[in-house]
Amino acid sequence: MTGLLTRAEYAAIAEGLDLPAAPYIDGCFRSGSGPLMPTLNPATGERLAHIASAGPNDVDIAVSRAREVFERGHWAGTHPSKRKESLKDLCRLMTRNRRELAVMECLESGKPIRDCELFDVPGAINAIRWHAEAIDKIYGQTSPSGDDTLSVILREPVGVVVVVLPWNFPLLMLAWKIGPALAAGNSVIVKPAEQTSMTALWVAELARTAGLPRGVLQVLPGDGPAVGEALGRHMGVDMVSFTGSTDTGRRFLRYSADSNLKKVVLECGGKNPALVMEDAENLDHVAEHIVNAAFWNMGENCSATSRLIVHRRVRKPLMDLILARLRDWKTGDPLDPASHLGALIDREHFERVSGYLARDGLLAGGIAEWPFLEPTIYEVDRNDRHAREEIFGPVLSVIEVSSSDEAVAVANDTDYGLTACVFSANARGAIRAAREIRAGTVTVNCYGEGDITTPFGGYGLSGFGGRDNGLAAHEQFTEQKVIWIDLTDPRDGDNVG
């Protein structure tokens, strides 16, 4: 566990944290006009802080200030190289405070500190840095419009952008969204999940220290009805980028329809399959990826592999290897670097996930004691609720098939389409299956989401309107403009056309 501290050292960092607990509006923390909102440590039930939530007046002030700074060009009109350097300065500050950010994320979300240290915080810094570096490397275009015209195709910032974050990857999803949104020159208002507000608040303060003008990055903690809906319906907001449940995503489409038809981009849920074909090689390698895919971050991951679709001839040896690997996945104290699984986010979610536990078909786990749930595996029919509904917990459904064609058919038998994995020694067959699976990202002989360079999003109920990551993320935070220039000499006659 290279780079990790001890449990005692992380506890000492936790004791010394100065936890942010108020909305960040116009470059400073302000007393929110909404009620106090307790933020709890999911692993212990301990109250970490009472966060002053935002109210309707705070929403109006933040939107007004975001609009003002955008119209004045304090950020949008800044030279691209200057925006790049400010965002790189933010990355340097985040790097300097990386351990504190990791511990804060661990305390508030219940995520294992090993994931926060080794994945979430470095991934967030890398995302912002990557988008910062892209700022002065994205070119406009011209079209082949003939010698008599010059048509210039530009990308311009949308304006006031709201990003609505989930509780499962608070810091990483913040970076995935504010990186390209700020790089494009927008003013950004962040609405974090009620359970996990603190890292977003701290990053906003770091951004101000890094030189971002007041009002360019603001954070409004609060619940969905008071803050999320108010922002979604606000006539002064130009765009909402949302990551979370499909049901909540639908609400933002309604808010847009009922207000100013603001742009909406949704990254929602998934019921992601891993297909293990008859000819899959190195089943121990396959088992390692399946266990990580299903149980990483307690399965509270929209791209988690929750369906293992396995050929009947390799099911038994593969399951033996998966069950053996589960013994290394310790569930427990999130601040303990030996823990692979931490606490589920809150009691409501714990009760929901626990409702899927049953005796029939149980192969492993099934033990739940608030706030922890052991990695659980069921053998099910393709039509079982375990195989069809997004559980969003450490629960894997195993479905046996008899052919590659059946595996692809079962994989596509879902309303979702976010990610999928294919394991096969036959390159042609694996690529063909990857082409036939309806999902935004399909990995072959591994589990993953691509990286910061590859667009991330899904089909069906998994997404709408755009993609995170890659240059596609920059495009979704911009409007496209054509400037058409007539180059003919007006003295040559009537050239109107």
Side-chain angles (χ1 to χ4, degrees), residues 329-351:
W329 279 64
K330 176 186 174 184
T331 301
D333 180 3
L335 272 183
D336 184 349
S339 296
H340 283 74
L341 282 81
L344 297 192
I345 185 66
D346 57 27
R347 186 173 288 276
E348 180 182 358
H349 184 62
F350 174 84
E351 296 295 341

Side-chain angles (χ1 to χ4, degrees), residues 205-216:
E205 174 71 0
L206 292 177
R208 177 71 182 128
T209 304
L212 272 71
R214 300 164 66 97
V216 168

Side-chain angles (χ1 to χ4, degrees), residues 184-463:
N186 295 287
S187 297
V188 180
I189 300 172
V190 179
K191 193 283 180 192
E194 300 95 291
Q195 301 93 330
T196 53
S197 302
M198 294 192 299
T199 49
L201 290 166
W202 194 10
V203 168
E205 174 71 0
L206 292 177
R208 177 71 182 128
T209 304
L212 272 71
R214 300 164 66 97
V216 168
L217 180 61
Q218 304 177 90
V219 181
L220 301 182
D223 64 21
V227 181
E229 181 173 353
L231 289 167
R233 294 184 180 278
H234 205 290
M235 299 296 288
V237 171
D238 299 303
M239 176 183 174
V240 172
S241 178
F242 167 83
T243 293
S245 73
T246 300
D247 287 344
T248 303
R250 283 190 172 106
R251 293 194 188 108
F252 279 100
L253 291 176
R254 295 188 188 103
Y255 301 156
S256 173
D258 291 342
S259 56
N260 59 343
L261 285 182
K262 57 179 63 66
K263 292 178 64 174
V264 177
V265 174
L266 307 177
E267 197 277 284
C268 299
K271 193 65 182 173
N272 310 294
L275 288 64
V276 182
M277 305 305 192
E278 180 182 7
D279 59 357
E281 292 181 323
N282 191 349
L283 292 183
D284 190 54
H285 167 83
V286 176
E288 178 185 6
H289 280 265
I290 295 298
V291 169
N292 184 56
F295 304 121
W296 167 53
N297 201 49
M298 297 76 71
E300 295 173 334
N301 179 12
C302 59
S303 65
T305 293
S306 54
R307 292 185 293 155
L308 172 57
I309 303 169
V310 57
H311 194 280
R312 59 184 175 81
R313 291 187 179 176
V314 296
R315 185 192 67 80
K316 176 64 167 61
L318 177 61
M319 292 310 304
D320 288 343
L321 291 167
I322 287 174
L323 296 175
R325 281 193 168 273
L326 272 189
R327 290 194 289 266
D328 296 329
W329 279 64
K330 176 186 174 184
T331 301
D333 180 3
L335 272 183
D336 184 349
S339 296
H340 283 74
L341 282 81
L344 297 192
I345 185 66
D346 57 27
R347 186 173 288 276
E348 180 182 358
H349 184 62
F350 174 84
E351 296 295 341
R352 180 186 172 278
V353 175
S354 298
Y356 284 90
L357 302 183
R359 292 183 180 273
D360 294 344
L362 182 64
L363 298 178
I367 299 174
E369 183 176 348
W370 164 251
F372 302 104
L373 175 61
E374 289 190 357
T376 299
I377 302 176
Y378 286 98
E379 191 167 36
V380 302
D381 178 84
R382 63 186 286 184
N383 294 314
D384 188 280
R385 65 191 291 250
H386 289 84
R388 305 200 68 83
E389 299 173 9
E390 187 183 30
I391 300 174
F392 219 64
V395 181
L396 174 65
S397 298
V398 180
I399 306 165
E400 183 180 300
V401 295
S402 299
S403 69
S404 297
D405 288 343
E406 184 184 4
V408 171
V410 174
N412 284 333
D413 187 16
T414 177
D415 293 328
Y416 296 99
L418 188 56
T419 68
C421 318
V422 178
F423 293 89
S424 172
N426 183 328
R428 181 181 298 173
I431 294 171
R432 181 169 182 172
R435 292 290 299 269
E436 292 175 350
I437 294 171
R438 292 185 55 77
T441 299
V442 183
T443 57
V444 176
N445 292 327
C446 65
Y447 164 73
E449 298 176 351
D451 63 16
I452 192 61
T453 69
T454 57
F456 182 80
Y459 295 17
L461 296 186
S462 291

